[in-house]
Amino acid sequence: MTEHKGWDFWRNTLNSARLVVAPMVDQSELPWRMLSRKYGAELCYTPMFHASVFSRDAIYRRESLQTCDKDRPLIVQFCANDPEIFLKAAQLAEGQCDAIDLNLGCPQSIARRGHYGAFLQDDWLLLQKMVSLCNAKLKVPITCKIRVFESIEKTVEYAQMLEEAGCQLLTVHGRTKEQKGPLTGLANWEHIKAVRQNVKIPVFANGNIQYLSDVDRCIAETGVQGIMSAEGNLHNPALFHGISPPVWQMVNEYLEFVEMYPCSTSYIRGHVFKIMHHALEVHKDARQKVALAKTINDFKAASEFLEQKCQADVEKYEKEPGSFKCELPLPYWLCQPYVRPSPKDANSEGRKAERERLNLKRNAELSQVALEGEPMSKNKLKKKLRNPQKNFDPLHKAKYERCMQCCNPKGRRCEFSLCKSCCKLKSVRETLDCLGHNFRFRTRALTKSEENGHSDMSSVTNVTNDVTDSVTSHNQTCSNNCHTDNKQTSSHKTDLSVTEDAVS
């Protein structure tokens, strides 16, 4: 019997990967993947990208799909509900990865509204078209990540349908789409085992992986080729090495990769909060430092502050481990998994009462701020509470000079007196740096040229056309708006970021 080509893909392209970092929206970006690879990850997925936006927005493509030579093997994941759009997005990404994955597992409400993820699992005809088209047209394999049905039989039939359509590797999350948030519960490995026994392609298991021992146990019980970790990896990126380092060590190592591969501050904050979760429950004053951090140095300072706060307990534990009491499996300052409480948990009422107390306290503080000043929205009241000195009066807002090329306000620190979009266009065209907007096209080009052993500046020319088209189109729109109504230019906002809910 001829072996399915998916096995050759798994063995030769993925190097028989067993330890896999899951695709996580805004959380499996390049620096996190590199940290995970440092600690044993053999295969990583990108965050989930929205195929529609990816296929039409060159800037979104360039900013979202960041990788490097050491970031392999790599699988790019998309959410999609249109075969042609999915194919177009996949073809734009296939040169930078080893496979394209279709997300059929996202259970969030945004996926319901956008009709993708786990909410496509009943539309088998559409899924057959999407997978078979990509299987026929792409230069790299097509894979899928699914959630299970309540019925094992239907789950197996679902997996076999995807296999027949051309899926070459299947990841099975052992939860249904209803199992999320407080209803998450445990993943069912019996469903995964049944799928593995009834398909002829490699299978990865996802769910219940919190320690390295869970990896071997899952493979033994299900017979899968590898396991995928999401939340376990987020709380302990060293999970695949079977160690639990201090949280500040992991944060500092992650920040080192961020310095090499810059990413959004929101990504950094999310990772720091998850790594430090248990420690921040004990030292709540450190939480505010993480919440207000805006630079890498701010996050480093928050990490150092937390380490200092933990030192007394660390010394006590080292001297007399038996005398140190902690409800967690490990001391709270060590990386370890977070187990989401069940709604039936005995302490759930206490936690609910505590949340209500904190909410009442916050509402009272917001009410006090509202009484002391002009009427404003709840979001502005929250910002005012965090930053009492901030000016929220529109009549006294700082006035910005206009960009030299369009009607937007120019960047206050821009070296060329331009707005961000015009500055990016100029920097790309002329291969320049603008420290005010943190554009370093010249620096990167020189670094790449040095690595290649020559001083040719052509290494960045491949980005010029995409960025030029996007920004030129944007500036034309701005210009038209300015001629239409000059009074609106003061409130005109530049936003080249993705505006579809599904990307958030």
Side-chain angles (χ1 to χ4, degrees):
M1 184 176 179
T2 304
E3 187 177 65
H4 193 283
K5 61 182 180 179
W7 288 99
D8 180 67
F9 162 64
W10 175 67
R11 292 193 185 102
N12 299 323
T13 305
L14 302 185
N15 303 318
S16 302
R18 295 172 65 251
L19 308 175
V20 185
V21 173
M24 298 172 284
V25 178
D26 296 344
Q27 293 184 313
S28 55
E29 80 290 351
L30 178 57
W32 187 260
R33 297 197 300 268
M34 297 306 292
L35 175 64
S36 300
R37 291 182 192 277
K38 177 180 177 180
Y39 283 99
E42 298 167 349
L43 167 65
C44 292
Y45 284 64
T46 66
M48 181 195 74
F49 303 140
H50 194 288
S52 178
V53 183
F54 193 91
S55 63
R56 70 171 184 265
D57 191 324
I59 292 180
Y60 172 65
R61 287 198 297 273
R62 191 160 302 281
E63 293 182 349
S64 58
L65 180 51
Q66 297 183 0
T67 184
C68 64
D69 293 340
K70 296 181 180 179
D71 187 30
R72 290 296 184 96
L74 177 69
I75 296 180
V76 173
Q77 187 187 70
F78 289 104
C79 68
N81 56 21
D82 182 283
E84 294 297 335
I85 292 176
F86 179 40
L87 175 63
K88 182 179 178 181
Q91 288 175 328
L92 289 168
E94 64 181 353
Q96 300 181 67
C97 63
D98 299 291
I100 298 296
D101 187 76
L102 176 60
N103 183 331
L104 301 176
C106 181
Q108 304 305 322
S109 56
I110 188 70
R112 179 190 290 109
R113 293 197 298 271
H115 190 52
Y116 61 82
F119 298 94
L120 290 177
Q121 67 180 16
D122 291 316
D123 197 342
W124 289 16
L125 182 59
L126 172 62
L127 296 182
Q128 284 177 324
K129 291 180 180 178
M130 294 173 70
V131 175
S132 60
L133 181 62
C134 285
N135 182 53
K137 299 290 186 179
L138 291 180
K139 298 176 183 177
V140 297
I142 176 74
T143 68
C144 298
K145 183 173 186 289
I146 66 173
R147 285 200 169 216
V148 300
F149 291 92
E150 288 287 350
S151 164
I152 290 181
E153 291 74 16
K154 188 171 183 179
T155 302
V156 169
E157 188 179 353
Y158 181 41
Q160 290 174 334
M161 178 272 294
L162 293 172
E163 177 188 8
E164 292 174 3
C167 176
Q168 297 186 35
L169 184 148
L170 190 65
T171 300
V172 185
H173 187 154
R175 295 182 175 92
T176 65
K177 69 176 185 290
E178 290 76 27
Q179 288 182 271
K180 58 183 179 180
L183 302 177
T184 296
L186 293 176
N188 191 323
W189 287 356
E190 288 299 317
H191 284 67
I192 301 175
K193 179 180 179 180
V195 170
R196 173 66 198 95
Q197 292 175 341
N198 289 278
V199 297
K200 300 179 179 65
I201 56 177
V203 175
F204 290 158
N206 184 206
N208 302 350
I209 307 298
Q210 297 179 337
Y211 299 95
L212 183 60
S213 58
D214 296 328
V215 173
D216 295 330
R217 187 165 60 87
C218 181
I219 292 176
E221 290 187 18
T222 62
V224 294
Q225 280 59 58
I227 63 89
M228 177 182 284
S229 174
E231 287 197 355
N233 166 261
L234 289 176
H235 287 88
N236 181 12
L239 182 153
F240 292 146
H241 270 191
I243 58 176
S244 296
V247 295
W248 49 84
Q249 176 188 327
M250 284 289 91
V251 167
N252 292 337
E253 290 187 24
Y254 169 63
L255 294 176
E256 290 176 4
F257 281 109
V258 171
E259 290 179 321
M260 289 189 281
Y261 311 105
C263 67
S264 169
T265 302
S266 63
Y267 298 177
I268 302 172
R269 197 186 324 279
H271 284 303
V272 173
F273 268 127
K274 282 188 169 59
I275 294 173
M276 291 182 167
H277 175 84
H278 296 296
L280 294 178
E281 290 291 304
V282 178
H283 301 288
K284 298 184 184 297
D285 46 351
R287 177 178 293 276
Q288 189 71 357
K289 292 186 176 295
V290 176
L292 298 178
K294 296 181 178 179
T295 66
I296 292 178
N297 287 335
D298 290 341
F299 287 108
K300 287 182 177 179
S303 176
E304 182 179 355
F305 177 79
L306 180 62
E307 181 178 3
Q308 293 172 353
K309 298 288 289 186
C310 294
Q311 280 307 306
D313 286 337
V314 172
E315 292 173 3
K316 179 179 179 181
Y317 179 76
E318 289 176 348
K319 291 179 181 178
E320 301 179 52
S323 65
F324 185 83
K325 295 182 180 180
C326 183
E327 296 180 357
L328 299 168
L330 299 172
Y332 67 83
W333 59 85
L334 298 180
C335 291
Q336 57 190 300
Y338 167 69
V339 179
R340 188 179 287 102
S342 165
K344 299 179 181 179
D345 193 303
N347 297 323
S348 61
E349 290 300 323
R351 284 192 296 271
K352 183 178 179 181
E354 177 66 11
R355 283 196 302 271
E356 290 177 352
R357 184 188 69 80
L358 293 175
N359 287 337
L360 289 173
K361 179 182 176 183
R362 169 56 68 88
N363 290 335
E365 292 172 344
L366 293 175
S367 299
Q368 183 63 32
V369 173
L371 291 173
E372 295 173 355
E374 297 294 325
M376 59 181 69
S377 68
K378 190 171 183 179
N379 282 338
K380 285 188 176 181
L381 287 174
K382 290 179 180 178
K383 292 179 181 179
K384 184 74 173 177
L385 185 60
R386 290 196 300 266
N387 303 288
Q389 306 305 319
K390 187 175 177 66
N391 175 29
F392 289 91
D393 186 350
L395 297 178
H396 296 88
K397 284 285 186 181
K399 295 183 179 180
Y400 297 94
E401 296 180 34
R402 185 174 293 181
C403 169
M404 295 179 64
Q405 295 185 9
C406 72
C407 62
N408 289 317
K410 76 173 187 178
R412 286 182 292 180
R413 295 189 294 273
C414 178
E415 298 180 14
F416 311 115
S417 297
L418 301 173
C419 67
K420 187 172 183 179
S421 58
C422 293
C423 179
K424 188 167 189 176
L425 178 60
K426 179 180 178 66
S427 299
V428 171
R429 279 177 171 171
E430 302 177 24
T431 317
L432 302 173
D433 286 350
C434 176
L435 300 183
H437 280 122
N438 197 27
F439 297 147
R440 304 177 186 274
F441 295 103
R442 180 176 180 81
T443 301
R444 291 176 184 172
L446 290 173
T447 301
K448 189 169 183 179
S449 297
E450 291 173 1
E451 291 175 353
N452 294 333
H454 55 77
S455 57
D456 183 11
M457 293 295 292
S458 64
S459 58
V460 295
T461 58
N462 63 319
V463 306
T464 303
N465 292 336
D466 285 346
V467 177
T468 298
D469 292 344
S470 296
V471 180
T472 302
S473 175
H474 162 74
N475 288 344
Q476 184 61 45
T477 302
C478 290
S479 177
N480 293 339
N481 290 339
C482 288
H483 288 302
T484 301
D485 187 359
N486 287 328
K487 293 182 180 180
Q488 295 180 0
T489 60
S490 62
S491 62
H492 181 75
K493 297 181 180 178
T494 301
D495 187 4
L496 293 179
S497 61
V498 180
T499 57
E500 296 203 6
D501 288 343
V503 183
S504 64

